[in-house]
Amino acid sequence: MMPSLDLLRSLSDEHVLGALIDHQRLTRTELADVTGISKPTVSESVRRLVAAGLVIDTGERTTGRGRSGSYFALSPALPGALVVDIAPDAVTVESVDVRGRVHARTQRLLTAPTRPATVRRALKAAASEAVSVTVTGGTPTPSLAVVSAADPVDRVTGRLVHLPDSPFLIGEFDPVGELSGFVSGEVVVDNDVNWAARAEAGGGDFAYLHLGAGLGCAVVADGVVLRGHGGLAGEIAHVMTRDRRGRAVTFTEFFAAVGLRRADSAAVDVEALIARANAGGRAGAAFRASLGAAIAGALTAVIALADPGEVVVGGEWGSDPVVLEAARTALGAAPRTVALRAPACTHEAALVGARTQATAMLRRDLLATLR
């Protein structure tokens, strides 16, 4: 059965639009070269896309010998997305376009542990500012939002879930409901460690261990982050390991036992931990050995159940070279072991992962308008 004319036109339009997403501007001739579609067919696609308001003639022309050509580009009126990072120290909101370019970035500082009302005020203030810049500054109006949160996330509702010994949010919080007035469409919420894992290049099978003020783990199988039935997969803080005396404790209890929790919080004291891990003498060596054993004990459970090809160790103190080497040494003595490495994405990894997802969703929605 031969494809219909409408289907062929739709496919041509998708290829042309996809090329203009990937390139800042192109002429009809360049579009034909990039897509492999004939120039007459490209010209018809461009005409339809301009009429639909998806593409514009920039008014720029080629220079040099021969007949000049017009440059075409995506319409600046295309919808964008809000990318939100709810972290222990701040709420950050970005306005991004379909290419992933950041047009506005706003932030409100927090002090952990905090309450839902505090986060709500910070989120609404930052989102209002980002949308205000979007409306007045000629940047994309947000149609969707992607949220990274430093707390467990219910897979069905997108609500932040309070678990025992939470180092950050004390209570439950609903980012989907709070952002519904700022975007016209979908709001996707996931844990920050899952987004950081997605920021790692490539697919495959690996685990992403986050060691910072909070403790987290993401399990990636065939390039897909496993979220579990309720979205709580990877909550490694309550996995059993051992303390410096060899007694069984949860991973988070280890830091309480060695006096490395912040006052009135389950958060790890990052600065004090790094200082002790890098200390010299017998005390420093003994602490590194007990810390490495605690990390290895938690990872042993992950390795036994998930069978990752490697473990990426990130976070404020997890990627410290001394800590990473202590974990390697301890894990090397385990019955089953895998390679440990520092993350490839080291700056705002969760935000990078969420921004990549937002860009993919914008592209998906844009191409869907042609079908």
Side-chain angles (χ1 to χ4, degrees):
M1 182 177 178
M2 293 292 291
S4 67
L5 182 58
D6 286 342
L7 176 60
L8 292 174
R9 286 174 175 170
S10 176
L11 291 173
S12 296
D13 292 353
E14 282 191 34
H15 285 300
V16 170
L17 193 59
L20 288 172
I21 293 173
D22 295 334
H23 298 81
Q24 192 69 28
R25 61 175 193 171
L26 292 170
T27 65
R28 293 182 182 89
T29 299
E30 290 170 338
L31 280 165
D33 290 339
V34 168
T35 62
I37 301 172
S38 69
K39 188 175 176 182
T41 302
V42 163
S43 295
E44 284 299 306
S45 282
V46 168
R47 181 187 60 78
R48 288 191 294 270
L49 293 170
V50 169
L54 303 178
V55 169
I56 60 167
D57 184 334
T58 65
E60 300 170 286
R61 301 290 182 267
T62 57
T63 58
R65 293 183 177 181
R67 186 178 177 182
S68 65
S70 300
Y71 280 106
F72 293 90
L74 295 179
S75 169
L78 294 180
L82 293 182
V83 180
V84 179
D85 183 37
I86 304 176
D89 58 346
V91 172
T92 304
V93 179
E94 295 180 344
S95 172
V96 303
D97 64 19
V98 70
R99 292 194 179 100
R101 295 180 303 181
V102 178
H103 290 264
R105 179 181 169 110
T106 61
Q107 193 171 72
R108 294 294 186 275
L109 298 181
L110 298 173
T111 301
T114 190
R115 304 283 174 179
T118 305
V119 178
R120 183 179 300 111
R121 288 192 295 269
L123 175 58
K124 288 196 169 184
S128 295
E129 185 176 339
V131 171
S132 175
V133 172
T134 293
V135 171
T136 61
T139 52
T141 301
S143 64
L144 57 89
V146 176
V147 182
S148 167
D151 244 31
V153 176
D154 184 278
R155 184 174 182 174
V156 176
T157 65
R159 296 179 68 91
L160 306 192
V161 179
H162 176 66
L163 294 179
D165 292 322
S166 172
F168 171 41
L169 188 65
I170 307 302
E172 294 193 355
F173 184 67
D174 181 18
V176 177
E178 300 299 336
L179 290 170
S180 61
F182 295 97
V183 299
S184 57
E186 192 174 2
V187 179
V188 174
V189 188
D190 202 357
N191 176 262
D192 59 345
V193 182
N194 287 345
W195 289 122
R198 291 183 180 95
E200 288 298 297
D205 304 299
F206 68 95
Y208 189 106
L209 178 65
H210 175 87
L211 301 176
L215 309 170
C217 183
V219 177
V220 182
D222 295 328
V224 177
V225 174
L226 303 181
R227 299 188 64 189
H229 173 71
L232 304 183
E235 291 300 324
I236 202 170
H238 298 98
V239 167
M240 299 304 296
T241 184
R242 60 183 185 273
D243 65 12
R244 56 185 174 176
R245 294 185 176 91
R247 297 174 302 189
V249 295
T250 64
F251 195 23
T252 188
E253 285 173 345
F254 168 84
F255 301 96
V258 295
L260 284 174
R261 277 188 174 179
R262 293 177 184 167
D264 302 320
S265 170
V268 176
D269 188 330
V270 174
E271 294 78 13
L273 187 149
I274 292 175
R276 285 178 63 177
N278 285 271
R282 290 183 177 179
F287 177 72
R288 286 190 293 275
S290 62
L291 178 63
I295 296 170
L299 282 178
T300 297
V302 175
I303 294 167
L305 292 174
D307 189 26
E310 64 177 356
V311 175
V312 179
V313 185
E316 298 97 319
W317 58 271
S319 53
D320 181 278
V322 171
V323 173
L324 194 58
E325 187 55 36
R328 282 197 186 105
T329 299
L331 190 61
R336 289 177 59 186
T337 185
V338 297
L340 305 186
R341 69 168 175 87
C345 182
T346 57
H347 180 64
E348 297 185 332
L351 200 55
V352 170
R355 191 186 305 132
T356 301
Q357 176 67 18
T359 303
M361 292 171 64
L362 286 173
R363 181 175 183 133
R364 173 204 67 190
D365 292 349
L366 180 58
L367 294 177
T369 63
L370 303 176
R371 298 183 189 128

